Amino acid sequence: MAPTAATFESFFFDYPDGVILRDRDGTILEINKAATDLLNFSRNDLIGQKDVQIIDFARIDPAIVDMMIRSVFKGETYTADLFAKQKDGTSIPIQLLMNRIHYQGEHVIAYTIQDITMRFEVDIAMRESEERYRSLVDLSPFAIFIVSGEKIAYLNPAAVDLLRGENQYDIIGQPMSSFVLPEEHSSLIRCLEERELKGQRDLKHTHFLDINKNVVNVEAICLPIVFKSVPSTQIIGLDITERRLLEEELRQSQKLEAIGLLAGGVAHDFNNILTGIIGYAGLGLGVLDRDHAAYNFFQHIEVKSQEAAKLVYQLLAFSRKDILSFTKLDLNDIIVSSADFLGRVLPEDIDYNTSPCKNECTINADPVALQQILTNLCVNARDAMPGGGSVTIITEIVQLEENRITSSFDFTPGSFVKLSVRDLGMGMSDNTLKHMYDPFFTTKGIGEGSGLGLSMVYGLVKQHGGLIHCESKLGEGTTFDIYFPYLDAHQSISSITKIGQNLIRGRENILLVEDDIDVLTILQGILESSGYTVKMAKNGKVAMDIIMDNSYPIDLVITDLIMPEMSGTELYKRVEHLPHCPKFLYISGYARDAEIKGLKLSPDIEFMKKPFTATELNRRVRKVIDRVKE
């Protein structure tokens, strides 16, 4: 039995959701109480009005609205989330259900509307939350992967960068195991299976594989997450490959520092021994005729001792305990003055080329140390090209604002003079590059090299406050780049000269201060054999008493730099105020940093490195005394 009009009106007006009836032209025919309450209109306000007055169709394409209306009149049903307009003009979100009914003898459209303000606000909050989360994740410096099952469901840009990928879409959908080292698959599976477990999770060091199958060091943590309603695992990782390299470089630097301390101590004691050997050999040569049977033996002893002294010099240069004679100079001058010598070091089948900077490359350096650096690098290049090739030395002035060269050296931004030594040799492997500065490390056969050449270069560069970097590939050659702090070129530049002086006997009074009895004795013998009167002191305190005694004038004090109780520089500071203070000549096998700093306080320091020959000592003593007299 068909419902009566009264039954329909009772159902229509009492229906809990708002209902509006409209004809084909969009004119409102009827509206129930729930709709008028929702829209804050009275029934009389709306009857006979167009539906566009209360339903906001402006946010939908009119063609779509027309299609929906036609389809509903054909018997279809549509549901859409739209906005309704209240009497005061406020828009509220509604869900609109459109269907066709028979009313008063004709087909009309019934709008059933529900207030979805709460759901709409929740949706907005969820979207805002998702946008904030996505923004946070997308901008995060940490690589974030979301793994559903065993496949990657999402990854952020940092994760794409970690895997060295082009975009997310090439990676999403692939198994996470494709980007982890095979030996660590079990750890990955355990991580994914424990997604439901709660509790503290620690960072773990693991190894990923990028899309090119290169190993990437990663610190990662696994956390449970629900992604698109599916229980998943969130892996948060940080690429620590560069940090690991820096840590390894730091460990290498610390190892070199430790070995350097040992080398410096050994060299110090060895230099005292060599000073005695060379001194006694010199005394022996001085008293023997050239045709004496033992003369050649003493000569060989002196030559071999000098070779040992060179080895000690390399140890001291590596340990940075050697005292250098710094002067302002143009690096280009060093290269030019060393050209003949380096040309003799390199065989004829190796071309030696230089490309100096047009500007003056002014630095504060020890010229002898620079020649040692050049010589060792050229010898290294020569050994890398047994079949011939070329060596090129280049200088240029560069600006460095950041230390991207090496973390092992102290760095102050500014201008640097860059010295490059390039060869076209066989190059070095990655393993050789890691150990090339290690003392006694060599790729040569037994007896073919000491393994100290590059160690010495490393130490000398660091002692000059510079930086050193090596680029090398097997079969493509090697380039060493050394950066020295650049100085103002407008100041005077000291030229490199060799001072020769004839050996002259003397009669002056000399005070010898040395804690090593053997060295003290041999120096006394050398100087007395040259005519000098020698007083000896085994430490600084005894020497100070002798200097303070005016009854015995001293023309020159020869003192060891490093001694117990009172150093050579401390002795000078105690007596320099005296009106009869003699000139000081320091001798030492090496110097602590504090002593080096103390020496730099005096602009005209006279210093000799142990070991030295009797001839070298006599010439230097004569030179210092004559300079004082002048």
Side-chain angles (χ1 to χ4, degrees):
M1 183 175 69
T4 63
T7 303
F8 173 81
E9 287 182 1
S10 175
F11 174 79
F12 177 80
F13 287 108
D14 294 336
Y15 193 70
D17 292 331
V19 182
I20 301 171
L21 303 181
R22 52 92 76 184
D23 61 14
R24 289 181 179 273
D25 296 329
T27 302
I28 296 174
L29 302 176
E30 192 57 82
I31 183 169
N32 71 349
K33 185 176 184 305
T36 57
D37 291 345
L38 176 64
L39 301 175
N40 291 328
F41 281 101
S42 67
R43 181 171 177 273
N44 293 331
D45 289 335
L46 296 176
I47 298 297
Q49 303 297 320
K50 295 293 184 179
D51 57 1
V52 294
Q53 183 177 345
I54 57 171
I55 305 298
D56 186 3
F57 290 112
R59 303 188 185 190
I60 303 178
D61 188 342
I64 295 177
V65 176
D66 292 341
M67 180 273 295
M68 292 168 59
I69 297 297
R70 289 194 302 270
S71 298
V72 170
F73 274 112
K74 292 179 181 179
E76 297 182 16
T77 301
Y78 276 100
T79 301
D81 289 345
L82 297 172
F83 286 87
K85 301 174 184 178
Q86 293 181 317
K87 188 173 183 179
D88 61 1
T90 304
S91 291
I92 60 171
I94 62 169
Q95 184 182 72
L96 177 64
L97 170 65
M98 295 185 289
N99 59 4
R100 187 188 69 182
I101 66 172
H102 197 74
Y103 176 71
Q104 294 182 352
E106 62 177 329
H107 286 117
V108 298
I109 293 179
Y111 290 160
T112 303
I113 56 177
Q114 289 183 335
D115 185 356
I116 58 172
T117 299
M118 185 176 295
R119 193 190 81 186
F120 182 75
E121 291 176 349
V122 171
D123 287 344
I124 290 177
M126 289 183 65
R127 282 196 299 271
E128 289 178 348
S129 176
E130 288 176 359
E131 288 174 0
R132 283 195 299 270
Y133 174 77
R134 181 174 291 276
S135 176
L136 179 64
V137 169
D138 285 347
L139 296 176
S140 172
F142 297 96
I144 299 176
F145 301 83
I146 295 179
V147 183
S148 294
E150 294 186 359
K151 294 185 177 181
I152 298 174
Y154 170 80
L155 71 165
N156 70 343
V160 176
D161 292 340
L162 185 145
L163 298 181
R164 317 307 189 241
E166 294 292 333
N167 55 65
Q168 297 167 304
Y169 309 107
D170 294 338
I171 300 172
I172 290 176
Q174 297 191 45
M176 188 66 205
S177 58
S178 299
F179 301 101
V180 176
L181 279 179
E183 54 265 35
E184 299 189 14
H185 281 180
S186 58
S187 297
L188 174 65
I189 292 172
R190 191 161 53 250
C191 165
L192 299 179
E193 288 178 346
E194 292 176 353
R195 63 170 62 97
E196 298 299 331
L197 298 180
K198 296 181 179 180
Q200 184 176 359
R201 295 167 185 260
D202 298 325
L203 283 172
K204 293 182 179 179
H205 177 231
T206 186
H207 299 88
F208 282 20
L209 291 173
D210 64 19
I211 59 175
N212 298 314
K213 301 304 179 185
N214 295 316
V215 177
V216 182
N217 283 279
V218 177
E219 277 187 350
I221 186 171
C222 295
L223 301 170
I225 191 175
V226 176
F227 182 72
K228 295 183 177 180
S229 303
V230 177
S232 305
T233 300
Q234 181 175 249
I235 300 176
I236 303 174
L238 179 65
D239 185 348
I240 60 170
T241 303
E242 184 175 354
R243 191 180 83 190
R244 285 278 170 166
L245 292 174
L246 292 175
E247 288 173 352
E248 178 60 31
E249 191 174 345
L250 177 60
R251 282 192 292 270
Q252 181 74 358
S253 177
Q254 290 172 336
K255 181 174 70 174
L256 292 175
E257 291 288 343
I259 297 175
L261 290 174
L262 174 62
V266 170
H268 172 253
D269 295 338
F270 196 30
N271 263 334
N272 280 337
I273 296 171
L274 285 175
T275 300
I277 294 173
I278 293 174
Y280 281 121
L283 287 177
L285 289 171
V287 298
L288 292 176
D289 295 329
R290 288 185 175 271
D291 56 356
H292 194 282
Y295 189 86
N296 286 337
F297 296 151
F298 279 99
Q299 268 194 329
H300 284 300
I301 291 172
E302 190 175 54
V303 169
K304 290 301 179 182
S305 298
Q306 292 289 0
E307 291 179 0
K310 291 179 181 178
L311 185 63
V312 176
Y313 174 76
Q314 289 178 320
L315 283 171
L316 288 171
F318 161 70
S319 65
R320 302 187 308 284
K321 296 300 182 183
D322 195 22
I323 296 180
L324 302 180
S325 300
F326 286 93
T327 184
K328 193 179 295 290
L329 51 82
D330 186 348
L331 182 57
N332 292 329
D333 290 344
I334 295 289
I335 294 173
V336 171
S337 64
S338 303
D340 291 341
F341 172 73
L342 295 177
R344 291 192 297 270
V345 169
L346 300 172
E348 293 181 356
D349 57 355
I350 294 180
D351 293 329
Y352 175 72
N353 306 295
T354 59
S355 179
C357 178
K358 294 181 180 179
N359 297 321
E360 291 181 341
C361 294
T362 319
I363 60 175
N364 191 31
D366 182 322
V368 176
L370 291 180
Q371 290 169 344
Q372 287 284 343
I373 291 172
L374 287 169
T375 301
N376 277 278
L377 293 181
C378 285
V379 168
N380 220 53
R382 178 198 66 192
D383 295 340
M385 297 182 290
S390 69
V391 174
T392 303
I393 297 180
I394 303 169
T395 59
E396 59 179 316
I397 299 173
V398 298
Q399 190 75 18
L400 295 180
E401 298 301 332
E402 296 181 19
N403 183 5
R404 297 181 178 179
I405 311 300
T406 173
S407 62
S408 301
F409 286 61
D410 296 330
F411 174 76
T412 301
S415 298
F416 288 79
V417 175
K418 179 181 176 183
L419 169 67
S420 299
V421 179
R422 300 176 183 174
D423 68 63
L424 299 179
M426 61 184 70
M428 289 183 275
S429 65
D430 290 342
N431 183 62
T432 301
L433 285 171
K434 289 179 182 178
H435 300 284
M436 62 182 174
Y437 298 126
D438 290 1
F440 309 111
F441 174 79
T442 179
T443 57
K444 301 173 185 176
I446 297 175
E448 296 180 8
S450 66
L452 283 172
L454 289 180
S455 300
M456 187 188 72
V457 171
Y458 178 95
L460 288 174
V461 171
K462 198 159 191 176
Q463 202 166 349
H464 279 76
L467 310 170
I468 185 170
H469 178 67
C470 178
E471 287 284 347
S472 184
K473 290 185 179 180
L474 288 174
E476 298 183 15
T478 301
T479 299
F480 281 93
D481 291 325
I482 300 174
Y483 300 81
F484 296 104
Y486 174 72
L487 295 181
D488 185 3
H490 295 292
Q491 299 181 22
S492 61
I493 302 173
S494 299
S495 60
I496 305 163
T497 59
K498 294 183 179 179
I499 301 175
Q501 187 169 343
N502 295 326
L503 182 60
I504 303 174
R505 295 175 61 81
R507 296 181 179 180
E508 288 81 5
N509 296 327
I510 295 178
L511 173 61
L512 278 177
V513 191
E514 170 65 66
D515 61 311
D516 188 297
I517 300 301
D518 288 335
V519 175
L520 188 66
T521 302
I522 188 60
L523 294 183
Q524 178 193 21
I526 292 172
L527 293 170
E528 286 183 344
S529 66
S530 297
Y532 298 101
T533 301
V534 179
K535 279 265 187 176
M536 294 188 294
K538 64 180 181 180
N539 58 50
K541 289 184 177 179
V542 175
M544 188 170 64
D545 292 338
I546 296 174
I547 296 172
M548 299 284 286
D549 183 5
N550 289 331
S551 64
Y552 189 84
I554 301 296
D555 297 294
L556 176 66
V557 176
I558 302 176
T559 177
D560 191 14
L561 190 60
I562 309 299
M563 295 181 294
E565 298 185 30
M566 185 185 295
S567 68
T569 52
E570 182 63 25
L571 171 61
Y572 174 75
K573 291 176 183 177
R574 296 282 186 92
V575 300
E576 65 175 335
H577 65 281
L578 298 176
H580 58 279
C581 177
K583 184 68 176 177
F584 271 60
L585 170 60
Y586 297 101
I587 58 174
S588 182
Y590 87 124
R592 295 186 298 249
D593 292 342
E595 297 301 332
I596 294 173
K597 184 177 180 181
L599 280 177
K600 289 182 178 178
L601 295 177
S602 301
D604 56 347
I605 282 298
E606 297 289 349
F607 176 80
M608 283 192 74
K609 300 175 186 177
K610 295 178 183 177
F612 40 75
T613 65
T615 302
E616 290 170 341
L617 176 62
N618 276 313
R619 284 181 176 173
R620 189 61 176 272
V621 167
R622 192 69 257 160
K623 173 187 170 184
V624 174
I625 292 176
D626 289 345
R627 181 181 296 172
V628 173
K629 290 182 177 180
E630 291 173 0

